[in-house]
Amino acid sequence: MKLLYYDQYLDQMITMPKHIQQKALNFAKKFKADSKSAAIHLEPISSFKDQRLRSARIDLKYRAIIRVPESGDVYYMLWIDNHDEAYRWAENKTADWNEETQTIQIFSTKEISLKAKEVRVTAPSKEGIFNQYKEKDLLKIGIPSVLLPSIKQINDLDGLDALSDFIPPALFENLFFLTDGADIKTLITEVEEGKTSSVDQDSQAKSINNQRSFIELDEDDAIFQDIIDGEWTKWKFYLHPSQRKIVEYNSKGPVKVSGGAGTGKTVAAIHRLKKLTEVNNSGKVIFLTYTNALTENLNKTLADFSLNSTRYELSAIDSFLYKLALKYKLISKSIKIADRPGVKKVKELWEELFEANVYSYDLDQVMKEYEDVILYHGIDEMSNYLRISRVGMGKSLSRRQRSEIWDIITAFEKLLDQQNYIHSFALYNLVSAHLKNNPNNEYRHCIVDELQDLSNVHLRFIRALIKENENDLFLVGDPLQNIYDRRLNFSKANIHIRGKRSRRLRVNYRTSEEIRRKAISVINDITFDDFDGTIEPQSEYISLFHGTPPSINMFESKDKELIYINELIEKYTEVKGESEVKSSAICIACRVKDDLKVVKKILHRNSVAYYDIKDKSGNKSGVHLSTFHSLKGLEYKHIILSGVNDRTCPYLPYEFDNWDRSQKDTYLHKERSLIYVVITRARETVDILGVGDQSRMI
């Protein structure tokens, strides 16, 4: 027999006393050993609407609800609770197999019908929004025929939202996407991709679609110990069909995965790593991130997966590059990489050159030309520079002007050499050129997280490192989170992504719908490139749960704002029943470093422990503090944005008024993306605080 566990059963099991958790585990072992045993007490209950549901005795007080098969040998563990509560949960439930989607769907026809009528009464004159579709197509996206009349009464998004707690999650998603303008044929195709070709229902129970909510587990699996230890994390085992399809896809080339904040891109990348390391003779995997902070977080997460450490390596991309440069003897240990911590800034070196020489070109103009044209394209000869297209770089340059700028750049590189410096992008190009002529045989696969933080310089290095082969590159990112103004173009980096190898995740698991909508409102009137020259859509993107809407509070003085911050910390760490929120679940973030210093002072004065995530100083169990930029890639239950007003968001540089329109637009675009990023770091609440006038961006 097969026993499949409903994800909500495991969620419910977490809430049970520890001795009941252990009894439930022992029961499952006995049940799998002999489901017909009288000791199991598997009983039909006459009051249950669905007579395939049975009650099973965990002990004298607790019951499990199990769906038994009409034929075949697949049982579903659905719920666990006190006797009366378990019966109430099951009483009106139907657990039906949907042939169209190859999934078990759990719903209450009675509750959905009553709610649909209630919603209809509030707007009786409106036409049902799903009446425009053919019934056969609505069935194909997962609507059970018994629910069609109720679903067709829904007349707007608010009506659909009202039914969200009663409709199976996968069905709710598809209905939401339809209201957001999705093509029903596309949704049908996605459902079909998640099905198995087998005609045997026991085999179909392992379809990608059904594994979204139901998986088979060994009762000796570490998952149950995690539940007992209070460390159960659903995403380690349950993947959305869109994630699982990506993870299990055997690709003939590079795969790109995009999606909004909280849609599980990193989860997909981690599971992809797990899959690749479990395939025999598939070669070593290098997993690259942009920052050390992300690498540290991933290291902690990967430790829970018990992966074979000889099969993969995790590194920040700059650190990995430096390691290879030393390994191939392309640089010496004495060389200094400009812009690294404790090393001169690139702009400082440019200023030295311009102070020692008189040029007819602006320093920022030449610096931008060097980074965004010369290094971006990997140009090492003037003849190539004279021919290269500069589309998107603003004012055109004649051959004479290019020649003069080339001479300045040559002088700059000579200055770097004299002082034993190298530009980081120049180092990337150096290592890429070496790999092109001396192919690497150690790494066969590369996974990249936070792709939007990279540029074509990084992509060329990754392409040179990994030979083209099956499952070679797995590139994950969110164009909406591009806060560094990096330009990516896959084809120019010789990375070719076609058809099904470009995937998009659309379901937000981290934040509530209210937080998601607030974040999207900051960027909804600007466009984002999808990394390859077309527009990344912001629609068809949804959160599956509701919560507290973000709040905005403006104060007359900084003192009043700081008093309110202290009140919020007390509120969020207040013990309610047995539930306690740790101080480290709260993060206070500021756009400006000086504002963060002020927050530190008040916390210190009030004896509130805190930890600065950028400086890595303080008490890690205390409230976390961060700049907006350092929040990237992290998440907290509660985010407090302090010092937010019309002067800090957007935070305009001193020379902003002297910039041309294109520069200004690009900068403001980045500032909006930054606000989007910090709002989406929150799982439960966002509080936006400031003194003076409210930011126009929020």
Side-chain angles (χ1 to χ4, degrees):
M1 68 163 291
K2 290 180 183 175
L3 182 59
L4 271 59
Y5 286 86
Y6 188 27
D7 60 346
Q8 291 187 24
Y9 172 89
L10 296 178
D11 286 340
Q12 179 68 2
M13 191 173 168
I14 293 172
T15 68
M16 299 291 105
K18 277 191 168 36
H19 71 283
I20 297 301
Q21 292 173 346
Q22 191 60 58
K23 284 184 177 181
L25 187 53
N26 294 337
F27 165 81
K29 288 179 181 178
K30 291 176 186 174
F31 184 73
K32 284 184 76 173
D34 183 5
S35 62
K36 311 294 185 192
S37 168
I40 296 296
H41 296 284
L42 192 63
E43 302 167 353
I45 306 298
S46 60
S47 62
F48 287 2
K49 176 183 172 63
D50 188 340
Q51 285 299 297
R52 292 161 300 192
L53 301 188
R54 299 284 190 273
S55 166
R57 188 177 296 176
I58 302 298
D59 71 357
L60 291 174
K61 184 180 178 185
Y62 285 87
R63 297 292 183 270
I65 303 298
I66 300 173
R67 182 193 190 271
V68 301
E70 293 170 284
S71 61
D73 209 23
V74 180
Y75 292 76
Y76 289 87
M77 190 75 83
L78 300 181
W79 198 251
I80 180 172
D81 213 330
N82 284 299
H83 177 284
D84 292 352
E85 284 81 357
Y87 278 31
R88 267 196 296 274
W89 181 88
E91 194 171 34
N92 291 314
K93 292 283 193 307
T94 297
D96 238 354
W97 177 257
N98 190 315
E99 292 282 356
E100 296 285 1
T101 59
Q102 290 184 354
T103 56
I104 285 284
Q105 293 179 315
I106 298 174
F107 54 87
S108 168
T109 313
K110 180 180 177 182
E111 288 174 328
I112 290 173
S113 176
L114 289 172
K115 195 67 181 176
K117 286 176 182 174
E118 180 185 315
V119 167
R120 188 70 184 169
V121 167
T122 62
S125 61
K126 283 188 182 178
E127 177 69 15
I129 53 177
F130 302 116
N131 289 339
Q132 60 182 296
Y133 301 104
K134 296 176 183 175
E135 286 195 359
K136 66 174 186 176
D137 287 341
L138 292 173
L139 294 174
K140 284 179 180 177
I141 64 167
I143 301 180
S145 56
V146 69
L147 296 187
L148 257 180
S150 296
I151 298 296
K152 293 184 83 171
Q153 289 188 63
I154 298 171
N155 44 36
D156 56 23
L157 184 54
D158 289 336
L160 178 60
D161 263 349
L163 267 69
S164 61
D165 290 339
F166 308 102
I167 300 175
L171 172 57
F172 175 77
E173 282 172 37
N174 283 338
L175 293 175
F176 178 92
F177 293 143
L178 281 182
T179 65
D180 207 33
D183 178 10
I184 195 167
K185 299 298 181 189
T186 301
L187 298 179
I188 292 170
T189 300
E190 290 176 356
V191 169
E192 292 298 315
E193 286 177 350
K195 293 165 66 173
T196 175
S197 57
S198 174
V199 295
D200 174 55
Q201 196 176 100
D202 285 9
S203 298
Q204 290 178 1
K206 293 190 106 174
S207 74
I208 284 176
N209 290 341
N210 204 39
Q211 286 184 73
R212 173 207 170 110
S213 298
F214 298 95
I215 56 172
E216 187 175 12
L217 293 169
D218 183 336
E219 279 64 43
D220 293 322
D221 200 301
I223 182 175
F224 291 103
Q225 191 58 49
D226 284 349
I227 288 173
I228 291 170
D229 294 341
E231 296 176 359
W232 156 241
T233 46
K234 187 183 293 188
W235 64 263
K236 285 187 194 175
F237 305 93
Y238 292 90
L239 294 178
H240 187 276
S242 60
Q243 292 172 313
R244 197 173 290 279
K245 280 181 276 191
I246 290 165
V247 168
E248 298 182 358
Y249 181 45
N250 190 35
S251 167
K252 289 187 165 52
V255 172
K256 178 195 80 170
V257 181
S258 66
T263 53
K265 300 179 296 298
T266 301
V267 168
I270 290 170
H271 280 271
R272 181 70 163 184
L273 174 65
K274 183 175 186 292
K275 178 179 172 61
L276 290 175
T277 56
E278 290 172 349
V279 176
N280 291 330
N281 303 317
S282 68
K284 195 169 182 179
V285 187
I286 176 66
F287 193 129
L288 297 173
T289 68
Y290 184 62
T291 67
N292 289 322
L294 286 173
T295 306
E296 288 173 16
N297 282 339
L298 277 168
N299 243 331
K300 293 172 190 170
T301 302
L302 292 177
D304 294 337
F305 277 78
S306 303
L307 302 179
N308 183 345
S309 59
T310 65
R311 296 292 309 280
Y312 80 96
E313 194 173 328
L314 172 67
S315 177
I317 191 168
D318 285 347
S319 302
F320 182 68
L321 172 86
Y322 184 66
K323 175 186 136 180
L324 291 188
L326 290 176
K327 176 183 176 181
Y328 300 137
K329 296 182 169 57
L330 300 175
I331 59 171
S332 68
K333 283 188 177 179
S334 64
I335 201 160
K336 294 165 285 191
I337 303 171
D339 279 346
R340 294 288 172 86
V343 180
K344 275 186 184 178
K345 301 287 184 188
V346 168
K347 191 158 187 178
E348 289 179 55
L349 292 160
W350 275 110
E351 286 168 349
E352 285 183 33
L353 179 70
F354 271 67
E355 284 170 7
N357 299 275
V358 178
Y359 297 118
S360 58
Y361 295 91
D362 179 69
L363 183 154
D364 287 334
Q365 177 191 8
V366 179
M367 181 175 160
K368 187 173 176 62
E369 191 74 7
Y370 180 53
E371 294 183 349
D372 292 356
V373 179
I374 307 294
L375 295 179
Y376 177 85
H377 292 287
I379 297 169
D380 54 8
E381 293 181 4
M382 186 171 75
S383 58
N384 293 331
Y385 175 49
L386 294 175
R387 289 195 300 268
I388 197 74
S389 168
R390 295 179 63 262
V391 173
M393 287 298 296
K395 206 183 298 180
S396 62
L397 297 174
S398 66
R399 284 178 64 87
R400 178 183 62 78
Q401 289 172 316
R402 291 197 195 199
S403 177
E404 290 170 349
I405 288 174
W406 183 265
D407 289 341
I408 299 173
I409 287 169
T410 301
F412 177 67
E413 291 184 330
K414 185 177 179 181
L415 172 71
L416 291 177
D417 191 50
Q418 288 170 347
Q419 297 193 26
N420 206 27
Y421 279 96
I422 189 168
H423 191 293
S424 64
F425 282 6
L427 183 57
Y428 273 96
N429 289 338
L430 182 66
V431 177
S432 298
H434 174 84
L435 288 167
K436 197 172 180 181
N437 297 319
N438 304 274
N440 143 74
N441 293 313
E442 183 178 4
Y443 303 97
R444 184 177 172 87
H445 312 281
C446 179
I447 297 172
V448 177
D449 196 16
E450 302 290 354
L451 170 66
Q452 73 280 349
D453 294 339
L454 307 186
S455 79
N456 264 35
V457 175
H458 301 95
L459 287 186
R460 270 201 312 275
F461 162 66
I462 291 164
R463 180 70 286 173
L465 175 71
I466 307 295
K467 284 190 269 186
E468 293 187 47
N469 64 85
E470 281 192 354
N471 305 316
D472 51 357
L473 306 180
F474 192 80
L475 310 172
V476 174
D478 178 9
L480 279 59
Q481 295 186 56
N482 185 349
I483 63 174
Y484 296 116
D485 191 26
R486 297 277 167 75
R487 292 183 299 141
L488 283 174
N489 189 294
F490 290 137
S491 53
K492 287 182 180 177
N494 202 28
I495 294 173
H496 305 291
I497 295 172
R498 301 181 181 91
K500 290 183 180 179
R501 290 195 270 121
S502 178
R503 296 281 183 154
R504 185 165 173 254
L505 298 174
R506 301 178 298 192
V507 181
N508 184 328
Y509 299 94
R510 180 194 301 140
T511 66
S512 67
E513 180 65 5
E514 288 76 11
I515 292 174
R516 184 198 72 82
R517 287 178 187 175
K518 174 59 73 176
I520 286 291
S521 73
V522 178
I523 57 170
N524 63 7
D525 58 347
I526 53 179
T527 58
F528 294 83
D529 185 273
D530 72 342
F531 307 135
D532 215 12
T534 58
I535 293 174
E536 176 78 6
Q538 297 174 31
S539 60
E540 298 180 28
Y541 168 42
I542 182 181
S543 295
L544 290 184
F545 64 96
H546 289 276
T548 306
S551 68
I552 302 175
N553 288 282
M554 305 305 295
F555 299 89
E556 295 175 358
S557 68
K558 193 68 182 176
D559 284 343
K560 288 185 178 180
E561 180 191 344
L562 295 170
I563 289 169
Y564 190 68
I565 287 176
N566 199 55
E567 290 173 357
L568 287 175
I569 293 171
E570 290 178 356
K571 172 184 171 184
Y572 293 140
T573 55
E574 181 185 358
V575 177
K576 297 174 182 175
E578 296 180 5
S579 177
E580 180 181 356
V581 175
K582 295 177 181 177
S583 296
S584 57
I586 302 169
C587 184
I588 303 172
C590 300
R591 177 66 180 88
V592 183
K593 285 183 181 178
D594 286 346
D595 283 337
L596 203 59
K597 290 177 184 175
V598 174
V599 172
K600 280 184 180 180
K601 284 181 183 177
I602 195 68
L603 293 181
H604 183 73
R605 190 188 308 157
N606 293 337
S607 300
V608 176
Y610 62 83
Y611 177 73
D612 188 318
I613 64 174
K614 185 171 179 62
D615 297 342
K616 296 181 181 177
S617 61
N619 185 341
K620 278 193 176 180
S621 63
V623 174
H624 284 205
L625 305 178
S626 175
T627 61
F628 281 8
H629 282 86
S630 295
L631 255 184
K632 212 166 159 14
L634 305 178
E635 61 179 72
Y636 293 88
K637 272 190 176 182
H638 307 288
I639 293 286
I640 300 171
L641 304 181
S642 174
V644 177
N645 55 37
D646 63 341
R647 297 186 307 281
T648 59
C649 296
Y651 182 67
L652 303 181
Y654 179 74
E655 64 273 21
F656 182 81
D657 288 338
N658 297 325
W659 291 354
D660 62 31
R661 172 48 56 191
S662 175
Q663 284 178 292
K664 288 179 178 178
D665 287 347
T666 299
Y667 182 83
L668 292 174
H669 190 296
K670 287 192 300 176
E671 286 289 290
R672 285 177 181 247
S673 287
L674 183 60
I675 301 297
Y676 166 80
V677 167
V678 296
I679 291 176
T680 56
R681 299 306 94 197
R683 295 200 298 271
E684 293 185 10
T685 66
V686 177
D687 293 281
I688 302 167
L689 318 176
V691 175
D693 294 327
Q694 184 177 321
S695 167
R696 294 169 305 232
M697 283 188 167
I698 307 174

